[in-house]
Amino acid sequence: MRLLERMRKEWFMIGIVLAIAGAKLEPSIGVNGGPLMPEITVSYIAVATIFFNSGLSLNTEELTSALVHIKLHLFIQIFTLAFFPAAIWLFLQLLSITPINEWLLKGLQTVGCMPPPVSSAVILTKAVGGNEGIVVTPLLLLLFLGSSSSVPFTSIFSQLFMTVVVPLIIGQIVRRYIKDWLERKKPPFGAVSSSVLLMIIYTTFCDTFSNPNIDLDKFSLILILFIICSIQLSFMLLTFIFSTRNNSGFTPADTVAVMFCSTHKSLTLGIPMLKIVFAGHEYLSLISVPLLIYHPVQILLGSVLVPTIKSWMVSRQKGVKLTRPTV
């Protein structure tokens, strides 16, 4: 199962490249008003499909049991939706004097505002990636990038409600009636969401490549990649140091959850949300680029670090057992 999941993630990353390449070759298909009619099929149908799918796959019983870890839950929430975006904003004040493309920098700020992924390896990520992310993320986007969004505040939340919240709730209701069938057949929820997400990415870049005024320099792209790698590693180290302090109250297993859940960002929620908040914005694709880079980087870094982190966690857990007094 882990091998299949890893293969799916690898194919998805390849799919992102192919979707962008396809948009470059033939942008007229996916532009607004084009044959795909993304203003309807993407803005409403595709986004609603992703979250209906999430509602079907979200195991409410596991979510309820995860919420008992109040302290861990609160730490991840505060770090992800308060510290992370604020730290990125301060960092961007320094980067604003550099020649890096300003829309890529705005895209970095949107990365900071995103919640953790709904389908993370640890069930706690489901607990921190639900309603809070749906409500807080657009508020953060409007706080930090309000002047960049031409869509009225009420329109953003009404569309979020209709295309995110309602499909998620309907998916959960349907799941209650077909739960046994879902657990027996195990439908490919991940593959469905990934396919729809690739369609959203494709249409986003179709708008870009059909606009001759938009130009992305390679220097800015390389710098953004380096910055994203540095941010992830720095924040993982920061959460590790904080959660392993003697008075933190976190177990080694908690530390692992904190490191990954606090620093990972949701592409599945992020891209549809950017599509809604920045609907019709000519630089939407450039704003999306840092999030598209952040996603594969977090997977690659996770794959590299997992053996080391797992070894550390096992050794720490053994140390706790050895120091525990016998009765």
Side-chain angles (χ1 to χ4, degrees), residues 1-223:
M1 185 65 74
R2 288 181 181 177
L3 179 61
L4 288 174
E5 180 65 16
R6 188 167 61 193
M7 288 177 63
R8 186 183 69 80
K9 288 179 179 178
E10 289 172 355
W11 277 110
F12 179 64
M13 286 188 281
I14 294 171
I16 291 176
V17 175
L18 292 176
I20 295 173
K24 175 70 173 175
L25 290 172
E26 194 54 63
S28 61
I29 296 175
V31 294
N32 282 338
L36 280 181
M37 293 189 294
E39 60 274 16
I40 298 172
T41 57
V42 170
S43 297
Y44 293 94
I45 299 173
V47 176
T49 299
I50 286 177
F51 288 98
F52 174 73
N53 191 47
S54 295
L56 278 178
S57 61
L58 188 62
N59 192 325
T60 313
E61 293 79 10
E62 290 180 347
L63 177 61
T64 304
S65 65
L67 287 173
V68 300
H69 301 279
I70 300 292
K71 184 177 180 180
L72 185 59
H73 177 70
L74 284 175
F75 177 84
I76 293 171
Q77 286 283 26
I78 293 169
F79 189 94
T80 306
L81 297 173
F83 176 81
F84 204 126
I88 294 295
W89 182 82
L90 288 172
F91 185 45
L92 290 181
Q93 303 313 300
L94 297 175
L95 291 179
S96 62
I97 62 174
T98 68
I100 300 175
N101 185 292
E102 66 169 310
W103 296 104
L104 290 180
L105 292 181
K106 289 180 185 295
L108 267 181
Q109 185 65 71
T110 67
V111 170
C113 298
M114 292 299 155
V118 176
S119 58
S120 183
V122 238
I123 190 60
L124 276 163
T125 303
K126 288 184 177 178
V128 300
N131 292 336
E132 294 91 338
I134 293 168
V135 174
V136 176
T137 295
L139 287 174
L140 290 172
L141 289 173
L142 292 169
L143 173 65
F144 290 110
L145 301 167
S147 59
S148 302
S149 177
S150 57
V151 183
F153 184 83
T154 52
S155 297
I156 290 171
F157 274 90
S158 61
Q159 189 171 345
L160 280 172
F161 182 76
M162 294 304 298
T163 60
V164 176
V165 179
V166 171
L168 197 63
I169 293 172
I170 293 173
Q172 278 283 281
I173 293 171
V174 173
R175 178 184 170 83
R176 291 181 61 185
Y177 293 98
I178 60 171
K179 181 182 175 182
D180 293 338
W181 181 85
L182 290 172
E183 292 180 351
R184 189 170 63 252
K185 295 294 184 179
K186 299 190 182 303
F189 293 117
V192 171
S193 291
S194 295
S195 300
V196 177
L197 197 56
L198 289 175
M199 177 186 172
I200 296 174
I201 293 168
Y202 167 73
T203 57
T204 299
F205 278 86
C206 281
D207 286 331
T208 298
F209 293 127
S210 64
N211 187 341
N213 297 322
I214 295 179
D215 182 39
L216 177 60
D217 62 288
K218 294 176 183 177
F219 174 72
S220 292
L221 204 56
I222 293 170
L223 281 180

Side-chain angles (χ1 to χ4, degrees), residues 236-308:
M236 288 183 79
L237 178 61
L238 182 64
T239 54
F240 177 80
I241 292 171
F242 184 88
S243 60
T244 52
R245 294 184 308 164
N246 291 332
N247 60 347
S248 70
F250 291 129
T251 66
D254 290 340
T255 295
V256 174
V258 164
M259 286 177 66
F260 286 109
C261 294
S262 299
T263 57
H264 280 203
K265 295 294 182 176
S266 174
L267 185 68
T268 305
L269 180 60
I271 292 296
M273 193 169 289
L274 290 179
K275 195 81 175 177
I276 293 170
V277 175
F278 296 100
H281 200 289
E282 63 174 332
Y283 291 102
L284 172 60
S285 60
L286 295 189
I287 295 172
S288 306
V289 165
L291 185 58
L292 291 172
I293 295 174
Y294 197 96
H295 179 74
V297 168
Q298 71 187 11
I299 293 172
L300 291 172
L301 280 179
S303 302
V304 171
L305 294 174
V306 158
T308 304

